[in-house]
Amino acid sequence: MLTRERLPRRLLRRAEVGNVMPRTSPRPLLLTRTVASALAISLATAGCARTATMAPRSAHAEPSDARYFERLRSERIASDPRVVWHPVGPGMAGYNEELWPHPTDPKAIFIGPDMHVSYGSWDGGKRWHSLKDADGTGDEMKRVVDVEFSRQRADLGHAIDWNGWLYRTTDRGRTWTKLTELTRSWKSFGVNPYDPAAFTKGWYDEQLGTRLSELTVDPTDDRVWYIGPGNFWDVKNNHRSVARPGGKPERYVDYGYILKSVDGGRSWQRITAGLPADLDVGRIIVDPRAPQRLAMASNKGLFLSDDGGLRWRRGGAGLPANLPRDLAIHHNPSTGRTRLFLVEQTAYVPKDRTVHAVGGIFVSDDFGRSWHDISGNLPFDLARINYPIEVERYYRTISHWLGISQADAHKSFPELPQSTLPVFNRIAVNPRNPDEIYVALNKKHDRTFGPGELWRTLDGGKNWQVVVRYGDYWGSGKDADYWRGRGNPSSANVEFAHLRHELDRQAELSGNRLLEVGPDGTVYVSIDQQTHKSTDRGESWHQIDDIEIDGERSRWIGRGNSDLPGRLIIVDTGIPGRRLMASGEHGIWQTVPHTAPIDPAIVLVQQIEGQVHHGGMVSIATMAVHPRDPHIIYALSWRQAHAGKVRRSVDGGKSWTNIGTLLEAGRDEPGQQADFGKGPPGMLPEQNSLTIDPVDPNNMYVLVTRNAFTEIYRSNIRAPSVGGYGFMRSRDGGRSWAVSNAGLPASVSLRRLAMDPDDPAILYAAANDVEGGLYVSTDRGSNWRRMVLPPEIRSVNSVFIDRRTRAFYIATGSPYDGSLSEGGAWRSRDRGKTWHRIFSAPLVTQVESSPLDPDLLLATVYREMKPEVTFRNPGLFLSRDGGNSWAKINNGLNSHEKIIDAKPDAHDRRLLWAAGWGSGWNVGVIGE
């Protein structure tokens, strides 16, 4: 443990300027040596990774004239280096879709989470850095599909993303350059990817080209690269069955060929000889002994080539059905021995009153020509396992495979199998030991079942053990005799960060998204929304997303790889040093005061609602602090637990209760059917700007937003059966609510609310629908009237009032079809009578001034919600002179193009705060 006296000096170097998070007690800050090292790394290397394009022009604070805004529109402008953003925990807190260890450098790891971010680590996961270009449009390296590196030159690598775009790095992944677009554009299909209803039209939201799925390099010659198209690894949607043994085809995916380059990725040859038109590629492996020989796992079986991939034929002799789910290689350069390992899709065959499983693990010693089974004792006896939820998963699995209802599966096959297999979808082998093999399953998203999330053999397949164990089943020691008889430990062995409060007490519901083994034998998985690694062959697992500050697992520092849907940040909470931060899926967090003066970039956070309370509210729409008692906090949710409820804590977040109902889910609107764009059943419209009257706190207000263009589900959500769109208010402290839209258009979409600082009866509401505008009520929302704005303004995305100067600020721009002429940041010094534009961009979503300095302004420019942008510099812009000049300040931001909330700090002039659509929260430090 480290006390203040033992902290590294670099963490104390700003002590003379005061402690940003005021200390509340003399207790020592408990840090391990690893933590201290990681913190030092974070300061030394913040923002070291980015996507490189052209050399940017530097732009510090520049005059806000037409020439400057034209440059922002047409050129890539570099961010001001004097402002640097640092990620705030928690790390990950989203689904980590893929992880790629560098093949020769065990400290270099890359991940591709699902919330439009990508990260790299060059210290084994102690600290993560964004791979995106913070000064780009945000489209590049947005959803990375695969990363691969040369075996001859460790710094040379390529990556492919969900758009079918190819990238190159020459510095071991720290910067990436887009080379080309390899697949068909969205234009070929006639569906706008930014259409809120894109999902219902068969296209994936925001995807700009058709998908690729596999990238590999010749291990003997890094001029030779192969790419396969497909959607093979989409375990969430691409499920196999008797009817569809090769999975589900999608319109937004490419199929039926492979690409080959012999000049290092500069040009590509399209190859179809011997390949089916609906080929979906999972793995391509090159024989290091004879690189003209290739093996490929696909939805149509195993394919082999003897001429460098120019012609293909079916392989798979010895496989039950030739339906590979994954393929891996082990090559011993000393002996020259090469072995392929394959996991077969498990098929379920009715047999009297039960179902027989056909599948398993296979090995080939002749590079795929023939295979033999090494499943050993991998099948388990479901009848002897006291695990009711896995029995239900078993019936879900076989009913899906056979195409019958789960109820019919129960009736037809009442006897549980005494020897069965789940559906495995990943296989990996330790490059240092071919007898150490791992197979994984994803019980949450795939159609599979069974105890554990990962199985391992250390003897080449004779004996298998469950090596990822968590939750109440393993924690309670159930069926210990059965597992003891298999030589399998029966205790939990997975470490979680803040998710521990929830995952340790529930069944294994979360799923494992990935499986990789690094060059040093380190094994990686991702359980629920955490990233884990094991350095002891799976005996124990440690999360690599957060740094623990105390032994109670309550205070954390994120390592920089957040996949969290960041939302509202409250900087003035009535308690010095406390900021409140809301998120999707992970509740509410607060900043925690340091007990020693640490660099302001190091922010300790603590979850106060969400997984920390069993069954807590996890997806926060908006929140507010009681104006007279800072320990009273209110929160609303639009999905998942407690959706539509008004939740309150009276003890600063230690406990919560529901005190009222704001909304209840309704049926689909007439003429529309339920679809992914509307979100899952029970999804409610988005809620914004929970506001409390400081004079009479029984008066509470909130906006229910129709055009929620910054949300994951952007199409028109089904109308609520209780409550409604527009302005809603409560006169009894949140217990009951009513819609109050008198004077507002029937189709209005209200996005942000501001209360007049001099008269709480006066409210201002920003409308971001097609008609748009700014509305005012002088009677606490009973009646509304439209204010006069400059004629070019349509959609108003936010309204803010400076409490010192009483200046009004609005952010404008239509998200889907806006233009530079209508978008921007506007200021009024006469309470809305006249307006002056102080910033120009097509889509500005927020502008706020500092509570400490009215000349310090922060503007948020959102990426235009259309495929082809007209403005090249989304992100955050800072003015220190009241809007006369501006500087772009994206250094260190991970989702700069999708900032949901951004504002200056209320207590420290050096600090700024921002919430990213898929990157959690960030603290910005303003340098001199």
Side-chain angles (χ1 to χ4, degrees):
M1 300 295 180
L2 294 181
T3 62
R4 181 183 188 280
E5 290 72 19
R6 297 177 63 190
L7 280 170
R9 289 195 178 190
R10 66 184 306 116
L11 301 184
L12 301 174
R13 67 180 184 273
R14 298 193 185 182
E16 66 275 8
V17 299
N19 184 13
V20 179
M21 310 294 181
R23 67 180 75 181
T24 57
S25 71
R27 286 168 37 192
L29 176 66
L30 303 179
L31 299 173
T32 65
R33 294 182 185 275
T34 302
V35 171
S37 174
L39 297 184
I41 291 169
S42 72
L43 298 177
T45 62
C48 71
R50 64 175 179 86
T51 309
T53 52
M54 67 189 77
R57 293 180 61 178
S58 178
H60 292 178
E62 297 198 12
S64 299
D65 55 23
R67 288 172 298 176
Y68 172 64
F69 294 119
E70 173 59 26
R71 287 187 59 212
L72 290 180
R73 184 192 68 80
S74 59
E75 302 176 24
R76 177 181 179 276
I77 301 298
S79 291
D80 186 339
R82 295 172 295 178
V83 180
V84 178
W85 293 89
H86 303 268
V88 175
M92 194 44 61
Y95 287 121
N96 191 1
E97 299 283 351
E98 297 286 352
L99 182 147
W100 306 278
H102 191 284
T104 59
D105 180 356
K107 292 186 177 181
I109 322 165
F110 305 88
I111 56 176
D114 66 349
M115 290 293 289
H116 299 181
V117 288
S118 56
Y119 298 98
S121 174
W122 294 269
D123 57 11
K126 293 179 182 177
R127 204 65 193 163
W128 298 89
H129 307 275
S130 177
L131 303 182
K132 297 177 66 174
D133 177 13
D135 288 322
T137 62
D139 293 331
E140 297 180 0
M141 300 294 285
K142 180 175 177 178
R143 279 289 296 269
V144 179
V145 173
D146 205 355
V147 175
E148 184 62 276
F149 284 86
S150 163
R151 300 324 191 255
Q152 290 76 47
R153 293 177 285 176
D155 289 338
L156 174 66
H158 286 97
I160 53 175
D161 71 4
W162 69 338
N163 297 319
W165 298 354
L166 176 70
Y167 304 85
R168 174 182 292 148
T169 178
T170 56
D171 57 8
R172 205 163 300 194
R174 289 173 172 82
T175 61
W176 296 84
T177 301
K178 181 182 173 184
L179 296 182
T180 188
E181 299 178 11
L182 293 170
T183 62
R184 295 169 293 169
S185 163
W186 61 273
K187 297 177 183 178
S188 302
F189 300 86
V191 179
N192 178 357
Y194 282 86
D195 182 340
F199 279 118
T200 66
K201 298 177 181 179
W203 194 263
Y204 206 91
D205 193 53
E206 298 190 25
Q207 185 179 308
L208 298 176
T210 48
R211 289 189 186 183
L212 302 169
S213 60
E214 166 68 351
L215 169 68
T216 195
V217 63
D218 184 331
T220 69
D221 184 352
D222 63 17
R223 295 172 299 177
V224 181
W225 293 77
Y226 299 91
I227 291 176
N231 196 36
F232 194 90
W233 300 109
D234 183 8
V235 70
K236 203 169 186 178
N237 302 297
N238 193 8
H239 302 137
R240 278 71 168 175
S241 66
V242 166
R244 286 181 170 171
K248 178 185 175 185
E250 300 286 1
R251 189 179 183 188
Y252 50 82
V253 178
D254 251 16
Y255 300 102
Y257 62 88
I258 68 163
L259 298 174
K260 180 179 181 179
S261 174
V262 295
D263 55 10
R266 291 175 178 82
S267 62
W268 294 85
Q269 177 184 1
R270 184 184 176 105
I271 300 168
T272 60
L275 299 176
D278 54 353
L279 180 80
D280 185 347
V281 178
R283 299 279 187 202
I284 300 173
I285 293 180
V286 181
D287 189 340
R289 302 166 302 176
Q292 292 300 302
R293 293 202 301 182
L294 283 74
M296 175 169 61
S298 79
N299 67 326
K300 294 300 179 178
L302 183 78
F303 285 81
L304 303 173
S305 174
D306 294 319
D307 59 3
L310 299 180
R311 289 171 297 181
W312 294 86
R313 69 182 189 281
R314 291 182 185 272
L319 298 177
N322 195 10
L323 289 175
R325 288 300 298 266
D326 199 2
L327 184 66
I329 184 173
H330 183 276
H331 173 66
N332 187 329
S334 300
T335 65
R337 187 185 188 191
T338 299
R339 309 187 84 193
L340 294 181
F341 298 87
L342 181 147
V343 57
E344 176 88 340
Q345 166 71 43
T346 304
Y348 298 97
V349 181
K351 185 178 181 181
D352 299 326
R353 292 166 57 82
T354 188
V355 170
H356 179 58
V358 180
I361 316 303
F362 297 82
V363 66
S364 173
D365 291 303
D366 54 12
F367 209 76
R369 286 162 178 77
S370 62
W371 297 84
H372 65 271
D373 194 331
I374 57 168
S375 301
N377 72 341
L378 184 58
F380 55 87
D381 186 347
L382 188 60
R384 289 191 58 191
I385 295 175
N386 182 25
Y387 208 164
I389 194 169
E390 294 307 326
V391 171
E392 287 307 307
R393 279 207 180 112
Y394 161 75
Y395 281 107
R396 184 187 74 157
T397 300
I398 65 172
S399 66
H400 172 79
W401 178 260
L402 298 173
I404 61 177
S405 71
Q406 199 161 326
D408 285 343
H410 271 280
K411 293 176 183 178
S412 301
F413 312 110
E415 294 181 5
L416 296 177
Q418 296 179 357
S419 178
T420 191
L421 289 169
V423 174
F424 294 107
N425 71 324
R426 301 269 183 163
I427 187 169
V429 58
N430 187 341
R432 296 183 172 188
N433 179 8
D435 290 332
E436 184 182 330
I437 309 163
Y438 300 85
V439 290
L441 60 155
N442 185 334
K443 293 187 291 187
K444 181 170 184 176
H445 299 106
D446 206 351
R447 296 297 180 261
T448 186
F449 65 96
E453 303 278 4
L454 184 74
W455 292 69
R456 178 206 67 194
T457 179
L458 297 177
D459 55 13
K462 297 181 182 67
N463 296 283
W464 294 84
Q465 291 185 344
V466 177
V467 291
V468 165
R469 306 179 301 273
Y470 69 95
D472 61 356
Y473 175 80
W474 298 103
S476 65
K478 288 182 179 179
D479 303 321
D481 289 342
Y482 174 77
W483 294 110
R484 191 179 302 112
R486 292 180 57 100
N488 202 124
S490 58
S491 58
N493 68 339
V494 182
E495 167 202 86
F496 296 100
H498 73 279
L499 292 173
R500 179 185 184 185
H501 301 283
E502 191 79 8
L503 297 184
D504 282 356
R505 67 170 64 190
Q506 68 181 27
E508 296 167 294
L509 300 173
S510 303
N512 176 25
R513 304 284 279 205
L514 59 90
L515 170 63
E516 293 289 342
V517 182
D520 60 349
T522 299
V523 190
Y524 299 92
V525 297
S526 179
I527 305 300
D528 196 82
Q529 298 184 342
Q530 293 245 245
T531 314
H532 293 87
K533 76 174 182 180
S534 173
T535 56
D536 55 10
R537 303 190 302 182
E539 296 298 321
S540 62
W541 297 88
H542 304 279
Q543 58 85 17
I544 53 174
D545 301 322
D546 297 291
I547 301 168
E548 182 183 357
I549 300 305
D550 56 34
E552 301 175 357
R553 300 187 186 276
S554 62
R555 298 189 299 162
W556 303 91
I557 295 174
R559 295 177 187 260
N561 65 337
S562 180
D563 192 45
L564 179 73
R567 300 195 58 78
L568 172 68
I569 300 173
I570 302 178
V571 294
D572 190 358
T573 65
I575 297 177
R578 181 186 74 169
R579 289 88 176 168
L580 293 176
M581 298 176 287
S583 72
E585 301 188 356
H586 288 264
I588 300 174
W589 294 67
Q590 65 181 5
T591 58
V592 181
H594 295 311
T595 54
I598 297 179
D599 190 288
I602 306 301
V603 178
L604 278 65
V605 293
Q606 179 182 43
Q607 190 183 45
I608 62 171
E609 172 61 330
Q611 289 83 357
V612 69
H613 301 126
H614 185 61
M617 180 181 280
V618 292
S619 285
I620 310 301
T622 182
M623 62 181 175
V625 177
H626 195 287
R628 297 181 183 177
D629 186 346
H631 297 96
I632 301 177
I633 308 169
Y634 297 87
L636 306 176
S637 175
W638 85 107
R639 62 186 291 249
Q640 298 173 321
H642 309 287
K645 300 300 181 183
V646 181
R647 199 152 169 84
R648 183 181 68 181
S649 174
V650 297
D651 53 13
K654 294 183 176 66
S655 62
W656 295 80
T657 57
N658 293 339
I659 63 168
T661 297
L662 178 76
L663 301 171
E664 288 186 1
R667 296 182 177 181
D668 297 325
E669 295 173 350
Q672 295 181 327
Q673 62 181 13
D675 55 64
F676 186 74
K678 288 178 178 294
M683 183 91 172
L684 291 168
E686 174 53 12
Q687 305 130 47
N688 286 300
S689 294
L690 181 61
T691 304
I692 306 174
D693 186 335
V695 175
D696 183 359
N698 283 321
N699 293 321
M700 301 177 67
Y701 315 108
V702 72
L703 304 179
V704 180
T705 305
R706 189 182 298 270
N707 180 15
F709 68 90
T710 60
E711 295 306 316
I712 297 173
Y713 303 100
R714 295 184 286 112
S715 66
N716 291 329
I717 303 298
R718 53 191 69 82
S721 59
V722 173
Y725 289 110
F727 177 79
M728 293 189 68
R729 66 182 177 184
S730 171
R731 299 180 185 274
D732 57 7
R735 290 171 176 80
S736 61
W737 294 79
V739 177
S740 182
N741 288 339
L744 296 171
S747 60
V748 72
S749 175
L750 301 181
R751 189 171 183 271
R752 292 292 185 268
L753 184 71
M755 180 179 289
D756 193 296
D758 298 318
D759 185 350
I762 302 177
L763 303 172
Y764 300 88
N768 71 335
D769 52 274
V770 176
E771 298 297 327
L774 183 64
Y775 292 85
V776 61
S777 171
T778 58
D779 52 10
R780 292 182 169 85
S782 295
N783 297 278
W784 296 88
R785 63 176 175 82
R786 186 185 180 102
M787 297 179 66
V788 177
L789 297 177
E792 59 266 44
I793 294 176
R794 289 194 295 163
S795 299
V796 179
N797 298 309
S798 70
V799 55
F800 176 82
I801 304 174
D802 186 288
R803 292 186 174 274
R804 286 193 172 192
T805 66
R806 301 307 192 256
F808 285 32
Y809 294 90
I810 56 174
T812 67
S814 300
Y816 298 107
D817 59 354
S819 63
L820 188 62
S821 62
E822 68 177 275
W826 303 71
R827 178 172 57 207
S828 173
R829 299 186 186 275
D830 53 11
R831 304 181 69 84
K833 295 183 177 67
T834 59
W835 294 88
H836 173 65
R837 178 155 37 194
I838 58 175
F839 192 93
S840 292
L843 183 54
V844 179
T845 54
Q846 188 176 5
V847 57
E848 294 197 10
S849 59
S850 167
L852 305 175
D853 179 359
D855 286 333
L856 188 72
L857 304 178
L858 186 61
T860 302
V861 179
Y862 210 80
R863 186 205 182 278
E864 298 162 87
M865 302 298 287
K866 51 189 177 183
E868 296 175 323
V869 297
T870 62
F871 188 85
R872 293 189 54 80
N873 290 275
L876 296 179
F877 289 81
L878 183 69
S879 175
R880 306 191 197 202
D881 56 10
N884 293 319
S885 61
W886 294 87
K888 184 180 176 185
I889 56 165
N890 287 352
N891 284 326
L893 285 175
N894 300 330
S895 317
H896 66 281
E897 79 281 12
K898 289 182 172 184
I899 297 299
I900 303 300
D901 191 24
K903 56 195 61 175
D905 192 69
H907 303 285
D908 191 318
R909 296 171 185 270
R910 298 170 298 168
L911 300 186
L912 307 169
W913 299 89
W917 185 88
S919 61
W921 310 292
N922 296 266
V923 59
V925 181
I926 303 173
E928 297 302 326

